[in-house]
Amino acid sequence: MEMKRQNEDPLMTPVMYLKGVGEHRARLLAKLGVQTVLDLMELFPRTYLSRLVNPTLGELQVGDMVSLTAEISWVDAKPTARGKKILSVGVNDGKIGLTCVWFAFPPAYLTLFKPGKTIWLSGTLSAFNNQLQMNHPDFEILADDHEEDSFWKSRQLLPVYPLTEGITQNLMRKLVLSAFSSYADQIGENLPAFILEKRQFPPRRDALQIMHFAQKTQAADQARIRFAYEEFFYSQIMWARHRVFHEKKEQGIKHENHQKLTTALKERLAFELTSAQKRVIREIFADMCSEIQMSRLMQGDVGSGKTIVTLFAMLLAVENGHQAALMAPTEILAEQHYQNFTRLLEPLSLKVVLLKGGNYKGKAELKEQIASGEAQIVLGTHALIQKDVAFHRLGLVVVDEQHRFGVEQRALLAAKDSHPDLLYLSATPIPRSLAMTVYGDLMVSQIDEMPPNRKSVLTYVRSDRKFDTVLSDVKKELDKGRQAYFVCPLVEESEKLALLDAQRLYDYLKNKVFTNCTIDLIHGRMANKVKDEIMQRFKAAETQILVSTTVIEVGVDVPNATVMVIEHAERFGLAQMHQLRGRVGRGADQAYCFLIAHQPQSSMARERLSIMSRSTDGFVIAEKDLELRGPGEMFGYEQSGLPEFRFANLVQDQAILALARTDAFDIVLQDPQLMRDEHKLLRKIYLSKYAKREELILY
Ligand code: ADP
Ligand code: MG
């Protein structure tokens, strides 16, 4: 089936068969996501370099972001005191000179830059000793006249493609040109004619060519807008269908607010609910008490009190004679919920059970209690979605840390009974501006307020040269009986840059610094069981220090841990650092976070560190995170169900999103099944892109 389809569409020809590619280059191109001829045609240039409009250095100012071409005049590699090398390359535009500097660079750079060659540079202009300078610029050494393809030689604007080792800009341009000269005729349309007309978009074939061969950047951006629209449009068709599906009345369970169990719980709480918690409980109850199936996401920072809100929702289901289930991503989290729930529910005499994976004594009996309905509240891990687990009148499904589960797994749990209400929890705040694209028509509740009297974590950025002072600060906390986390970037064997990895840090701290302390190491390559045991020991305060890679991100609650040290903080994304910092400050004591920054740092990294030291609000940080990333760089959100946008920039293209959304909803509200003649093409393209995803969302 798959083969046949490939034969039918020439654009699906594997890129290997394109002139000039072959097996070896095809493997390299695959690293860029290029598998077929169409992928190559859709490989959007990162930027464009202009040969004509070229600012002269004299016009530029320090702080400007600039792209320019200049001639290399000299190259110099100086050893530093600490045994590294700094590479400097001098360039000039005939009048004024500029020095490009690399504090870290691959060895190949030493022979790459040759005086006399023309180089294209892009970066931020700085100054050092009264001399213009650019640190770690983006660059391309331009081909000499005789090396360059005659087509590209005549162009004013050259596309700059993302590259991978073994593929040069020149080669990439050649391949793109070759793809278009053989296959341009085959490019079909993806948008209905009435949309093209309404929105004044060029046909797809033209737009693709403009993207690569534009003579003006403005034209290229116009073409890009068409593709951004296209991506948004089809994702919004899906959300429009989601809405139509979920508004069918007969789908859901209509709970009634009897105020029995929920009131009993409220009276027993040792604290007053925050107004954000109260608001979100109202939102959830309103959904659960309507006949429409609830499909709601609850977002809130770590420690904002999502658990208690969840418990209210579960009690509402239970007092209506339904079962409520919660699925957590790890055993330790499931157990944590189990302990909290049994403690809080003790006087209400409800049956709460915990179902874990694997085979153990008493498991058959637990499954029996779940199937019979004797168990009213069911907590568990992936064990809950196994085939042999049956529920009884399941009224509410809660998925904790929802982004840790695949869409399939979430759907499987929901499909265990007919249309239970669905509540997803997330401690990764998705920026408000993104919520509509990521979650479309899921209703989103935000707990954007912390419980009172919570001390916010004091955050300091420290240079790695001041590491000793950080260690003595950590020691003071340990002496008070507190615990500390040290987090390193991922251990990667192939990593050439000398990262101070978790293992080395562990050895150093254990043998040289905290010789009288208990200390453990945890990393992603360990078996889950081993990881759980290490976490349990830390939770029980049997270990004082935990050195880890980023695996501790999950919501494990250790109130006695008051220090978080993040090594090579300049390498972490904002969202990730914020998650890590959320591990501390969960108790009554003042907590600290030290961000250890090494040189060199990009200006972006500096900006991230500065934001971290200024703000502890997850929503603010998420917005900033988004601003600082480009499209296709949505690291950390992959599993959130976020469709991959290759052209659209989620920050800049909000206006285009709004247009696409209006158009998509208009169409689907009139023709939900897309059966009309004029929607034929739309239906075909939509199904080819979204059939699988839709299956999972419209359960
Ligand atoms: P989350 O799941 O959002 O990370 P939790 O629900 O685990 O956060 O809550 C963190 C801590 O705050 C818990 O110890 C909880 O008992 C406490 N807590 C929750 N709500 C309040 C509140 N309104 N006032 C005081 N403490 C609260
Ligand atoms: Mg939680």
Side-chain angles (χ1 to χ4, degrees):
M1 208 19 218
E2 207 53 36
M3 278 312 288
K4 191 149 170 264
R5 222 183 32 237
Q6 288 190 359
N7 290 342
E8 274 168 18
D9 186 351
L11 296 184
M12 290 296 156
T13 307
V15 72
M16 185 174 88
Y17 301 118
L18 188 71
K19 193 166 157 260
V21 180
E23 239 174 90
H24 175 64
R25 283 176 177 166
R27 261 197 306 277
L28 299 177
L29 287 170
K31 287 190 197 162
L32 296 167
V34 174
Q35 314 267 4
T36 63
V37 169
L38 182 64
D39 291 338
L40 191 59
M41 291 172 141
E42 290 185 345
L43 189 71
F44 199 19
R46 276 194 299 123
T47 176
Y48 299 85
L49 70 92
S50 165
R51 283 203 252 227
L52 291 187
V53 200
N54 200 7
T56 54
L57 285 169
E59 300 163 0
L60 300 173
Q61 297 196 344
V62 169
D64 284 352
M65 291 256 293
V66 295
S67 302
L68 58 103
T69 46
E71 192 183 302
I72 299 178
S73 30
W74 52 267
V75 182
D76 186 33
K78 267 198 206 67
T80 66
R82 300 210 295 162
K84 284 187 175 177
K85 268 188 179 160
I86 295 179
L87 177 66
S88 308
V89 174
V91 305
N92 75 87
D93 66 353
K95 293 197 194 87
I96 294 182
L98 161 78
T99 309
C100 302
V101 180
W102 283 267
F103 296 100
F105 54 92
Y109 278 24
L110 287 169
T111 50
L112 195 64
F113 302 96
K114 297 211 170 65
K117 287 265 188 191
T118 306
I119 187 170
W120 170 79
L121 296 163
S122 181
T124 306
L125 216 54
S126 54
F128 185 71
N129 284 345
N130 271 330
Q131 162 74 32
L132 286 177
Q133 182 164 320
M134 231 189 235
N135 293 342
H136 292 243
D138 224 2
F139 70 91
E140 178 185 349
I141 296 170
L142 298 180
D144 292 334
D145 261 8
H146 59 274
E147 291 168 20
E148 198 175 11
D149 232 72
S150 61
F151 171 82
W152 291 113
K153 207 185 278 185
S154 65
R155 312 298 288 178
Q156 296 175 16
L157 208 61
L158 292 182
V160 178
Y161 295 102
L163 296 179
T164 181
E165 220 173 308
I167 305 267
T168 63
Q169 274 311 338
N170 265 329
L171 176 64
M172 196 60 114
R173 286 183 197 133
K174 246 189 208 113
L175 297 179
V176 167
L177 187 62
S178 151
F180 277 90
S181 41
S182 313
Y183 292 93
D185 296 349
Q186 310 290 339
I187 299 170
E189 188 47 68
N190 272 0
L191 288 174
F194 66 92
I195 293 281
L196 290 183
E197 195 177 328
K198 181 174 177 193
R199 298 296 172 200
Q200 297 283 297
F201 289 138
R204 195 161 205 276
R205 183 187 307 166
D206 297 358
L208 269 180
Q209 307 208 45
I210 294 168
M211 251 171 51
H212 297 279
F213 310 122
Q215 295 275 50
K216 294 221 160 63
T217 45
Q218 227 176 356
D221 202 53
Q222 278 303 312
R224 189 193 64 83
I225 284 174
R226 191 216 120 110
F227 291 104
Y229 175 96
E230 197 176 304
E231 287 177 326
F232 285 141
F233 177 75
Y234 283 105
S235 75
Q236 294 303 318
I237 291 272
M238 180 185 72
W239 288 117
R241 283 174 51 76
H242 177 264
R243 175 188 290 180
V244 169
F245 181 87
H246 274 276
E247 278 179 355
K248 283 203 195 118
K249 291 229 151 103
E250 67 274 22
Q251 296 288 6
I253 299 166
K254 193 169 175 346
H255 291 96
E256 269 174 51
N257 189 357
H258 300 297
Q259 301 195 328
K260 281 203 200 108
L261 295 173
T262 51
T263 305
L265 173 66
K266 194 147 68 187
E267 280 164 2
R268 232 190 84 74
L269 282 184
F271 48 76
E272 174 84 4
L273 293 172
T274 63
S275 51
Q277 285 171 319
K278 286 182 196 158
R279 184 188 73 237
V280 172
I281 290 174
R282 273 199 305 274
E283 288 167 354
I284 293 171
F285 276 31
D287 279 3
M288 289 179 71
C289 293
S290 94
E291 55 261 278
I292 297 168
Q293 182 189 16
M294 174 167 78
S295 183
R296 183 174 284 276
L297 176 85
M298 170 163 51
Q299 290 188 327
D301 247 327
V302 194
S304 62
K306 294 185 292 296
T307 311
I308 198 80
V309 173
T310 307
L311 193 50
F312 276 101
M314 293 177 106
L315 290 183
L316 181 65
V318 171
E319 71 180 18
N320 278 272
H322 286 282
Q323 211 167 35
L326 179 149
M327 179 162 70
T330 64
E331 278 197 2
I332 187 164
L333 282 176
E335 247 159 51
Q336 195 169 287
H337 281 305
Y338 181 69
Q339 281 157 12
N340 283 337
F341 283 21
T342 36
R343 182 172 47 84
L344 287 160
L345 296 178
E346 210 209 312
L348 303 185
S349 56
L350 293 177
K351 181 78 178 168
V352 184
V353 303
L354 172 66
L355 190 75
K356 298 195 280 188
N359 284 319
Y360 53 92
K361 202 166 160 269
K363 189 170 179 181
E365 199 189 326
L366 280 177
K367 283 195 274 192
E368 182 47 43
Q369 289 168 353
I370 297 170
S372 71
E374 187 191 336
Q376 292 159 295
I377 291 188
V378 183
L379 308 172
T381 55
H382 296 78
L384 294 181
I385 51 177
Q386 303 311 309
K387 273 205 197 67
D388 59 349
V389 177
F391 288 86
H392 181 84
R393 285 174 53 80
L394 190 54
L396 173 69
V397 164
V398 184
V399 182
D400 191 16
E401 306 276 339
Q402 59 88 26
H403 61 286
R404 303 245 158 199
F405 293 97
V407 194
E408 286 94 342
Q409 291 168 321
R410 287 183 259 161
L412 270 175
L413 183 55
K416 283 276 177 186
D417 216 324
S418 60
H419 308 296
D421 283 327
L422 308 172
L423 180 63
Y424 302 115
L425 311 188
S426 172
T428 313
I430 295 276
R432 277 171 235 276
S433 53
L434 250 188
M436 190 165 78
T437 346
V438 183
Y439 297 116
D441 268 41
L442 281 193
M443 305 305 282
V444 179
S445 286
Q446 291 177 332
I447 306 197
D448 46 12
E449 178 188 359
M450 282 291 183
N453 305 326
R454 195 67 61 80
K455 291 195 185 78
S456 68
V457 181
L458 292 174
T459 304
Y460 304 98
V461 180
R462 293 271 169 88
S463 150
D464 62 314
R465 280 165 300 183
K466 295 276 171 63
F467 196 51
D468 286 348
T469 68
V470 173
L471 293 178
S472 57
D473 286 339
V474 173
K475 184 149 189 314
K476 278 182 215 145
E477 285 296 297
L478 295 178
D479 287 345
K480 284 193 251 166
R482 306 283 168 266
Q483 291 160 280
Y485 295 102
F486 283 79
V487 180
C488 294
L490 277 175
V491 181
E492 196 162 1
E493 267 147 17
S494 65
E495 191 100 68
K496 291 195 191 93
L497 297 168
L499 282 180
L500 191 56
D501 64 51
Q503 181 68 49
R504 279 164 52 201
L505 180 63
Y506 169 76
D507 292 340
Y508 176 69
L509 295 178
K510 187 182 156 100
N511 301 324
K512 298 269 156 66
V513 187
F514 300 111
T515 44
N516 293 321
C517 296
T518 45
I519 171 165
D520 250 336
L521 171 68
I522 185 169
H523 60 77
R525 300 207 181 139
M526 291 171 163
N528 283 339
K529 199 164 169 309
V530 179
K531 279 193 277 194
D532 268 5
E533 280 164 16
I534 294 174
M535 283 315 300
Q536 292 289 13
R537 273 206 297 279
F538 190 67
K539 206 175 164 177
E542 287 162 24
T543 33
Q544 292 165 279
I545 301 171
L546 190 61
V547 179
S548 88
T549 57
T550 49
V551 289
I552 51 156
E553 254 186 284
V554 280
V556 177
D557 204 358
V558 186
N560 191 47
T562 53
V563 188
M564 167 63 65
V565 182
I566 302 181
E567 246 297 44
H568 275 287
E570 78 283 354
R571 307 203 126 221
F572 285 87
L574 268 178
Q576 212 177 7
M577 277 193 275
H578 178 66
Q579 283 285 307
L580 289 169
R581 180 170 59 184
R583 297 295 124 231
V584 297
R586 314 201 72 175
D589 304 293
Q590 180 60 55
Y592 306 88
C593 175
F594 296 99
L595 303 171
I596 310 300
H598 295 239
Q599 293 292 343
Q601 285 159 25
S602 65
S603 55
M604 210 99 107
R606 257 196 306 279
E607 174 79 20
R608 287 198 298 263
L609 295 172
S610 140
I611 291 164
M612 283 297 294
S613 61
R614 288 195 316 253
S615 177
T616 51
D617 182 330
F619 289 99
V620 171
I621 288 172
E623 289 285 354
K624 288 283 179 195
D625 193 25
L626 188 63
E627 267 172 44
L628 294 176
R629 290 162 191 252
E633 231 194 309
M634 296 304 300
F635 175 76
Y637 298 115
E638 311 101 88
Q639 288 177 63
S640 61
L642 179 71
E644 250 187 72
F645 292 118
R646 298 169 65 184
F647 306 105
N649 179 314
L650 292 162
V651 181
Q652 285 159 26
D653 296 337
Q654 290 291 311
I656 304 168
L657 169 60
L659 294 183
R661 184 174 170 85
T662 310
D663 293 346
F665 273 73
D666 275 356
I667 291 169
V668 172
L669 293 182
Q670 287 174 36
D671 180 16
Q673 300 304 332
L674 308 172
M675 292 312 271
R676 290 190 197 161
D677 257 5
E678 71 264 31
H679 297 152
K680 223 180 194 162
L681 169 76
L682 195 163
R683 179 185 164 83
K684 184 177 136 228
I685 304 280
Y686 172 70
L687 289 176
S688 76
K689 286 178 194 269
Y690 278 96
K692 183 115 189 79
R693 197 184 286 275
E694 174 169 273
E695 219 171 86
L696 302 169
I697 284 181
L698 306 185
Y699 38 76

